[in-house]
Amino acid sequence: MSRQTGSVAVITGAASGIGRGLAEEAARRGMRLVLADRDASALAQVCAALQAGGSEVVSRVTDVGQLAQVEALRDCAVERFGGVDLVFNNAGVMQTGYSWEISQAQWQRLLDVNLGGVIHGIRCFVPLLLRQGRGGHVINTASLAGLLSSPLLAPYNVTKQAVVALSETLHYELALLDAPIAVSVICPGAVASSIMASNQHSDTAGDGLSQLLGERIREGMNPAELAALVFEAIDAKRFWVLPHKEFKVALQRRVRSILDETNPQFQLSASEGEAHAS
Ligand SMILES: NC(=O)c1ccc[n+]([C@@H]2O[C@H](COP(=O)([O-])OP(=O)(O)OC[C@H]3O[C@@H](n4cnc5c(N)ncnc54)[C@H](O)[C@@H]3O)[C@@H](O)[C@H]2O)c1
C-alpha cells in the first residue's frame, strides 16, 4: 500500500499544535484527511485552510473521550472516503500539580482524553483496518513523559506511559496475526503548541512548574519539523519516534537505575536531558 497520495489519514486533536502539523504534512503528501477535534471553530479554520490549498478534507467535531463520538468519526471516514489508511490518535490535555492535590475530576479528565481517546481509537479503527485487508498504520502520540516521569505531572505521566504500553502491546498483537498494520508511538519533548491552555492548575508557592513548562513549550520544536520526522518514521514503519535525541541519555540512566536497583533521581537540567516534562 502506498501511504502517500490518496491515502486516508484520520487525525484527532487536529485543530492545533502537533495535530495540525501532522495534518499539514499529510496534506502536503497528497493524502485525504479526516480531521477531528473538540474545538469546533479552530477545527473549521484548519479544515478551510487545507481545503483552500487543494486538499480533500472532512472534519468532525469529536470528543475522543466519548466512545460513541469516535465510532461516529470512523463511520464518517468510511462514508466519505470508503476506508482509512492511517490513524493518528493524537488529542491530549495537560494537568500539573502534586499527585495528591489533583482532584478526582482532573484525574478522570486525563484518563478519559489521554488514555481513553487512544483506547477508543484502537477499538474503533483497528477492526476496520483488519477488515479492509489493505494494510494501515496506527500512530499514537504519547510523550517523553511516556518514558520518563517528572514530578508534578502524575496524571500526564500515568496516561502517557499507558499509551506507550498500549502501543507496544498492539504492535506485538498485530505481529502475532501477521497483519500488515504498523504501529508507531511518538514520544516528543517540548513542542510549540497550545497544550498549556488545557492545564487546570495555577502555580502555587513551591511549584513554578506550569510557568516553566509554558516557557519550554513556547520555545519547543516546531510542529512542522516534528511532523516531518513522524512521517519519516511512518515511511520506515518504525515503532519508536523520539524526536528529541538529547533525552536518550536520561532514558539510558533510567534503565540503568532499574537494572542496578538504585533509587530514581530527578534532575531538572535540559543539558542532561531530564527536563522532560511534556
Ligand atoms: N506540546 C508538547 O510539548 C507535547 C510534547 C509531547 C507530547 N505532546 C502530546 O501531543 C498531543 C497534541 O498536543 P499539542 O501539544 O499539539 O497541544 P494542543 O493543545 O496545541 O493541541 C491539542 C488539540 O487536541 C484537542 N483536544 C483536547 N481534548 C480533546 C478531546 N477530548 N477530544 C478531541 N480533541 C481534543 C484540542 O482542542 C487541541 O486542538 C497531546 O497528546 C500531547 O499530550 C505534546
Side-chain angles (χ1 to χ4, degrees), residues 16 18 37-38 62-64 90 141-142 156 160 188-189 191 193-194:
S16 174
I18 294 174
D37 203 286
R38 204 176 41 182
T62 306
D63 176 351
V64 296
N90 169 75
T141 305
Y156 196 75
K160 293 301 183 178
V191 179
S193 82
S194 303

Side-chain angles (χ1 to χ4, degrees), residues 97-276:
Y98 288 100
S99 39
W100 58 91
E101 288 179 355
I102 291 167
S103 71
Q104 176 59 32
Q106 289 168 338
W107 270 100
Q108 197 58 51
R109 181 178 73 109
L110 272 271
L111 290 166
D112 287 346
V113 178
N114 291 9
L115 178 55
V118 181
I119 294 173
H120 296 151
I122 287 171
R123 294 193 61 248
C124 290
F125 285 98
V126 172
L128 171 67
L129 295 176
L130 287 167
R131 251 194 332 272
Q132 287 176 168
R134 67 185 203 213
H137 205 126
V138 178
I139 305 98
N140 298 326
T141 305
S143 166
L144 202 56
L147 303 169
L148 297 166
S149 299
S150 299
L152 299 159
L153 279 174
Y156 196 75
N157 295 332
V158 165
T159 54
K160 293 301 183 178
Q161 287 176 34
V163 168
V164 170
L166 179 55
S167 305
E168 256 180 298
T169 308
L170 179 66
H171 168 78
Y172 294 140
E173 288 170 348
L174 292 168
L176 270 181
L177 295 178
D178 216 7
I181 301 167
V183 181
S184 297
V185 65
I186 314 174
C187 301
V191 179
S193 82
S194 303
I195 194 159
M196 290 311 286
S198 68
N199 188 19
Q200 296 182 348
H201 172 82
S202 315
D203 287 341
T204 51
D207 143 33
L209 187 73
S210 1
Q211 203 189 332
L212 176 70
L213 260 185
E215 283 162 20
R216 291 260 157 83
I217 285 168
R218 261 194 306 281
E219 294 161 7
M221 181 180 274
N222 184 313
E225 192 186 335
L226 176 70
L229 295 172
V230 170
F231 275 88
E232 261 177 47
I234 292 170
D235 290 342
K237 295 196 169 74
R238 179 151 44 80
F239 178 82
W240 296 108
V241 189
L242 273 69
H244 294 75
K245 308 295 179 211
E246 63 274 24
F247 292 110
K248 289 189 178 180
V249 177
L251 199 50
Q252 270 176 329
R253 198 181 300 130
R254 174 170 190 252
V255 173
R256 188 77 263 157
S257 133
I258 295 170
L259 295 175
D260 292 347
E261 302 180 47
T262 54
N263 288 356
Q265 285 189 346
F266 179 72
Q267 292 168 342
L268 192 65
S269 153
S271 59
E272 292 196 59
E274 293 211 19
H276 45 70

